[in-house]
Amino acid sequence: VQGIPPPPTFAAYQAYDRAWRLRQLSKDEEALVEAERALVLAPDYPPAKTLLALINFYLGNLSVSDSLLDEVEEVRAQLPSSMRFGWEWQRAELDGDLADTYRLSRETLDRLSPPPPGWIITAAWAALLINRPRETLEVLSDLGPDSQGILEGQWVKIVRTRLMAWHMLEDHRRELRQVQELRSTNRDNANLLIAEIRAQAALGRVEEVADLVQEAVSKDLDPLEAARIAAEELLAHDHAAEAPAFYEVGLDHLRRGTPEGQTTIEHRWDAAQFLYFLRRWEEAEGIMRELLLERPYSLDFLGRWGTLAARSGKSEQARDVAIRIAALEIPFDRGASLYWRARICLLYT
């Protein structure tokens, strides 16, 4: 891996290298196992700790990621410049500082010659997150499926990033051509199927969207996300009348789950979400009331409860929920509580 000092043993390097390659492909559960193995073999090896911090971040284990970054900070001055930048980027990412993440990504690209594809993709995505889709496309412009250093499976990530940029630029025909070309050899990739749904819906092609959502349901390729994206994109592109049917598809899929599965918190949360999208406030409230009894400090549950109160005309209750959210002490909140409070206040004011 470019710019990384050698570990004390070859076995540790092998584990580290496998973990790094798996992370590049977003196979984080597998990457976690290899990174932990590398750290067992080389407990004082900073690159292994830094990589393990990154993997834990993407798995949602933010406190673990924070602790590992703190350990590396003690020896950060001794690391090569590329790794110091990597540490700073991870810290900015963990803190939710999108502007600093973007800055560090671009600076790292300038310092590495040539920059590895992983950093190019990272910089492109960082630009996208601060609403710079043209820059995203520029950063990715020199990468092709046969570019040096591209790992198997990484090309799909590059194309997905380009698709999002074209979508933001409303170049939906190019977006559709690209995703259909890629899907011709990746028919069962859920992310690409949903990307085609997004493009077709943006173009207002309701029949094509319906066929694709049915494909997602029949193949079990993330059908809830497929239905949600279909409805949201149709709503956003002047097809509000057709959108509810796709929320119904998602709700129907949930109803077809096993009796055991329907009792899980995740299943009930999904059901409440789709009922909310369908403006069936009372039914959604019934589910959310039960969920809050089980997890009274869940930010998402409180946020949805507050928006339901506001939608139902219960302004005082909605204000109380917003105040309750403001009082929560949430590590690594990254703006999530502010977002929910803003949504609640928007609805009742």
Side-chain angles (χ1 to χ4, degrees), residues 186-229:
N186 293 270
R187 295 300 303 175
D188 294 332
N189 184 298
N191 290 319
L192 292 178
L193 174 56
I194 290 169
E196 183 172 356
I197 289 171
R198 181 182 289 111
Q200 294 279 21
L203 290 167
R205 299 175 178 176
V206 179
E207 291 186 9
E208 288 84 348
V209 172
D211 290 342
L212 290 166
V213 170
Q214 183 54 46
E215 182 180 347
V217 171
S218 63
K219 293 182 177 179
D220 198 23
L221 296 175
D222 205 350
L224 294 182
E225 183 69 358
R228 184 186 67 81
I229 290 294

Side-chain angles (χ1 to χ4, degrees), residues 52-129:
L52 188 58
L54 182 64
I55 294 166
N56 274 286
F57 170 80
Y58 283 109
L59 288 171
N61 305 323
L62 303 186
S63 296
V64 175
S65 181
D66 180 58
S67 297
L68 288 162
L69 289 177
D70 283 347
E71 290 180 27
V72 176
E73 185 174 16
E74 298 173 6
V75 297
R76 184 159 57 104
Q78 305 168 27
L79 298 174
S81 60
S82 62
M83 182 159 288
R84 288 199 301 273
F85 265 82
W87 184 93
E88 291 171 9
W89 174 83
Q90 285 193 49
R91 174 55 68 190
E93 184 87 344
L94 184 62
D95 293 342
D97 189 336
L98 297 181
D100 212 30
T101 300
Y102 165 77
R103 177 185 64 80
L104 289 163
S105 299
R106 291 308 306 247
E107 288 182 11
T108 302
L109 281 191
D110 294 339
R111 287 170 176 262
L112 298 177
S113 182
W119 265 115
I120 296 174
I121 297 168
T122 297
W125 189 253
L128 199 67
L129 291 178

Side-chain angles (χ1 to χ4, degrees), residues 166-193:
W166 285 323
H167 193 79
M168 291 171 68
L169 292 167
E170 298 188 350
D171 191 348
H172 302 306
R173 295 186 186 281
R174 180 180 291 186
E175 176 189 3
L176 181 60
R177 284 197 303 271
Q178 179 71 83
V179 71
Q180 286 180 330
E181 179 182 330
L182 202 57
R183 283 203 73 216
S184 65
T185 54
N186 293 270
R187 295 300 303 175
D188 294 332
N189 184 298
N191 290 319
L192 292 178
L193 174 56

